[in-house]
Amino acid sequence: MTKQLLLLHWKAARWGLLPWVVAAFGVPLLIVGRLSVEGSLQSADLWQQMIPLSPVFPLLAVAAGSTIALTAWSWDHRQGHVYALALPVPRWRYSWTKFLAGLTLAAIPAVALGAGGLIAASMVELPELVQAYPGALAFRFYLATLAAYGVMFALAAGTMRTALIVLTVGLGAVLLGDPVVEFAARVIPALDGVRLTDVLLNVASQPASPFRVLTGNWLLFDV
Amino acid sequence: MCRAGVVLGLLVAAQAVAAQSAAAQEPSALPGVVQPAPALPEAARHLPRLEARLDSLLDVAAGLEARVEAERERYESSTRETLDAPVRRVAGGLGVLALPRDIETATALYETTWRQVFEPIFGAPPAALGEVQLGYYDHRGEWNPRIAEGNGMRYSVQVMNGLDDPRPQAVRAVMTALLREGPIAFYAWLGQAASIDDETDLAGFDPRSDLLGARRHLAATRSHTNVDCLDGDSTACAVSLGLRPEGWTLEEVARAWYDQETLREILTDRRWFRRADLGGQDRFEVGDASIDAAEYFTYRQRGLTVPEGASIDEADIVVLEGTEIFHDVAPASASTRMTLFTLAIELGGEGSVERWLELDPDVPLEEALEVVAGMPVDELAEEWRLRLGADTERPGGRLPVRATLGWVALLGVLSMTSTRWRLGR
């Protein structure tokens, strides 16, 4: 059953995953391309060229993980979970197998990133004290993809209503949180100066947070 | 009157020429008989009248000028009466200057800036900051011509559409004010950092120490002393930072930074405008020898005699061109130098800021740092180097592998508890 579910998941996810795989492969090359345009890598501008692009990696990981998680359950949601009901296996085993299939698929964009990073690193002559980290970056990317996948998979495994509520609240907090808190501070002085996005970022970057991996050092080249 | 005289002279001359021309065209009534000269006395009769008319124009002009002046005075007095003048307020130890409509916002901005950015390092604002004027002008409000010359452009913080977040400007304004109060050597050494207007992580001024940024910058710059510094040589660190270790000359410091070719490349990058000053020429002929244009410019700018056929190397040029170019060319950026300064303040402990601001304006840089840090420069550089190496997060380091996998497993287990029965949901 594992193989069938993996194939089923692959069929459902492949087109949605393709842009993220291409991007994961291409962004390291884009970084090197930008550096080449600006001149030699042996320049203090190295970081100023690279740092603005580094947040793209965690964003790609979240996008890839979410795509894999949502496509894992899209088939079931579309068919009213009839297929799962018809299977002679317990529900937990069905979910777990599906979950493991997703973990496997999550490696695809990470491998693409590692390959792109290796090629990019081979295209430039680095300063003496600067090194390329394509493998470490790909591993970090895989972990970040897993974190996003785990959260979205758990949400999608429940009802669509639950998933919608959680996602709406989460996105609302990120997009509208600051203006709402700023408005509320007029009534509640204790909220004055509080920025919800900073609070959320602080919580996300705590060592025990599932999103900690999204923060930190995402540079392809570093000292 | 002088102008009237000139005009009058022209009129007379023109009239004389016209009269002569008319006389030349008029046929003679009696051939062979000499005709009388043209009637110049007639023109002379008109002269007083013309002069009077011209003088009357001067009177009119003087009257108009008086009216303009009166209008200007009336406008200025009405402005003084109807428009609010900028007010100065000392709040939280900071002297703030803004229009009355902005003063609350400006005060809150500078107080918050000090509390969030400066207080953790500098403590309470030094007394000198109560004497300065930290400006603030909001261009989005109604224009007030009394704000300052140049429509408020001289105010250190300006808020306008598209530039709504004044916090980075406030940080720069406070730091610039502090640097201006201290010795000139610090301003020359760090002033560039305070004036950089860049949103990137590695540029711009922020007294909060960015040792990782400093390490990255040192690593990516093609400098011998940077490499030696990151390999553990604190003297090389001091040299990279533009400091002069004991027994070194400035020329030796500049010579140690880069190989000659790299230094020439860096200087050439900074010289393009100077080449333009010199008519776009790369070389100049001095006597029988050809001399580099930038070198020639250096001599000329310093008022030195260009030696015939002699040539100075790039390090000499750097030193000759003065402290601004010296620090600009140094392989440690201004924001990197700021990390050393911040460390000096921290190690100097209580009173380090006061010691800094009380220093003699002309005290040398190395001596100023020693006074602030309360230790010799070489020890300060060694401490800086140790911290520089400690604060490094590599892409593969400190990955939260266990936490992430633990959460993924937990979420996977939670997803197993979902029900297959979906009817009605």
Side-chain angles (χ1 to χ4, degrees), chain B residues 306-325:
Chain B
V306 183
E308 275 195 24
S311 179
I312 54 174
D313 75 359
E314 286 72 12
D316 294 326
I317 293 176
V318 170
V319 176
L320 275 172
E321 292 206 4
T323 52
E324 191 185 332
I325 295 293

Side-chain angles (χ1 to χ4, degrees), chain B residues 292-412:
Chain B
D292 180 79
E295 199 175 316
Y296 173 84
F297 190 88
T298 304
Y299 280 117
R300 205 181 69 175
Q301 191 185 35
R302 308 290 293 179
L304 302 172
T305 307
V306 183
E308 275 195 24
S311 179
I312 54 174
D313 75 359
E314 286 72 12
D316 294 326
I317 293 176
V318 170
V319 176
L320 275 172
E321 292 206 4
T323 52
E324 191 185 332
I325 295 293
F326 184 82
H327 293 311
D328 193 30
V329 170
S333 66
S335 51
T336 301
R337 295 194 288 269
M338 187 59 73
T339 60
L340 182 79
F341 179 70
T342 306
L343 181 65
I345 295 277
E346 182 193 327
L347 295 176
E350 200 172 336
S352 56
V353 177
E354 281 72 21
R355 290 201 299 277
W356 158 31
L357 298 175
E358 285 167 6
L359 278 168
D360 188 82
D362 297 323
V363 69
L365 174 61
E366 293 78 12
E367 192 182 321
L369 272 173
E370 286 184 355
V371 170
V372 172
M375 62 171 62
V377 164
D378 53 349
E379 286 180 31
L380 176 65
E382 174 63 11
E383 182 62 29
W384 181 78
R385 188 193 65 77
L386 290 173
R387 297 199 184 194
L388 197 66
D391 191 358
T392 303
E393 188 195 354
R394 292 186 172 81
R398 295 190 217 165
L399 270 177
V401 179
R402 286 183 193 168
T404 307
L405 292 181
W407 273 102
V408 170
L410 178 66
L411 290 163

Side-chain angles (χ1 to χ4, degrees), chain A residues 41-44 46-48 51 77 81 84-85 87 89-92 95-96 99 103 127-130 133 136 139-140 143 146-147 150-151 153-154 157-159 195 207-210 212-213 216-217 219 222-223, chain B residues 116 167 198 200-203 212-213 215-222 226-228 230-231 392-401 403-405 407-409 411-422 425:
Chain A
L41 253 184
Q42 291 192 325
S43 154
L46 168 67
W47 314 108
Q48 289 178 11
I51 285 173
H77 288 311
H81 292 260
L85 281 168
L87 287 173
V89 292
R91 167 74 178 179
W92 68 264
S95 294
W96 185 246
F99 186 71
L103 294 183
E128 189 178 339
L129 295 168
V130 178
Y133 293 91
F139 183 57
R140 183 182 281 269
L143 283 180
L146 290 189
V151 172
F153 185 89
T159 62
R195 285 174 61 86
S209 163
R212 169 68 184 265
V213 70
N217 188 338
L219 296 178
D222 205 350
V223 286
Chain B
Q116 291 180 347
R167 285 176 296 183
D198 202 326
T200 59
D201 290 347
L202 293 164
L212 178 58
R215 187 178 169 81
R216 283 176 176 156
H217 180 90
L218 289 176
T221 305
R222 211 176 350 171
N226 283 9
V227 173
D228 292 344
L230 294 176
D231 279 345
T392 303
E393 188 195 354
R394 292 186 172 81
R398 295 190 217 165
L399 270 177
V401 179
T404 307
L405 292 181
W407 273 102
V408 170
L411 290 163
V413 170
L414 284 176
S415 66
M416 286 192 293
T417 62
S418 64
T419 173
R420 72 176 76 188
W421 302 108
R422 302 277 159 182
R425 289 196 273 184

Side-chain angles (χ1 to χ4, degrees), chain A residues 3-221:
Chain A
K3 190 179 169 186
Q4 280 76 13
L5 280 180
L6 180 61
L7 275 174
L8 190 66
H9 197 167
W10 166 245
K11 278 187 177 178
R14 57 188 174 183
W15 295 117
L17 201 54
L18 183 65
W20 314 129
V21 173
V22 171
F25 180 81
V27 171
L29 302 175
L30 187 65
I31 288 173
V32 171
R34 275 168 62 99
L35 292 171
S36 301
V37 167
E38 297 299 325
S40 164
L41 253 184
Q42 291 192 325
S43 154
D45 294 336
L46 168 67
W47 314 108
Q48 289 178 11
Q49 298 296 324
M50 189 165 53
I51 285 173
L53 274 179
S54 64
V56 172
F57 292 122
L59 290 175
L60 275 178
V62 169
S66 303
T67 303
I68 296 168
L70 294 175
T71 51
W73 292 102
S74 60
W75 193 276
D76 294 87
H77 288 311
R78 207 177 303 145
Q79 305 298 329
H81 292 260
V82 173
Y83 179 66
L85 281 168
L87 287 173
V89 292
R91 167 74 178 179
W92 68 264
R93 197 179 153 200
Y94 176 72
S95 294
W96 185 246
T97 312
K98 199 184 264 289
F99 186 71
L100 292 180
L103 294 183
T104 312
L105 290 181
I108 295 173
V111 169
L113 174 62
L118 273 174
I119 293 170
S122 69
M123 289 166 63
V124 290
E125 185 190 344
L126 292 167
E128 189 178 339
L129 295 168
V130 178
Q131 294 173 31
Y133 293 91
L137 185 64
F139 183 57
R140 183 182 281 269
F141 188 89
Y142 182 57
L143 283 180
T145 310
L146 290 189
Y149 169 73
V151 172
M152 297 303 290
F153 185 89
L155 282 176
T159 62
M160 284 305 287
R161 190 176 60 181
T162 312
L164 277 175
I165 290 170
V166 173
L167 281 178
T168 306
V169 170
L171 276 176
V174 171
L175 298 176
L176 302 172
D178 285 339
V180 169
V181 170
E182 199 177 323
F183 183 76
R186 296 178 186 177
V187 186
I188 311 167
L191 291 175
D192 192 27
V194 174
R195 285 174 61 86
L196 193 61
T197 44
D198 289 346
V199 173
L200 291 174
L201 275 175
N202 189 33
V203 170
S205 59
Q206 293 302 310
S209 163
F211 304 111
R212 169 68 184 265
V213 70
L214 297 174
T215 64
N217 188 338
W218 282 86
L219 296 178
L220 176 60
F221 305 114

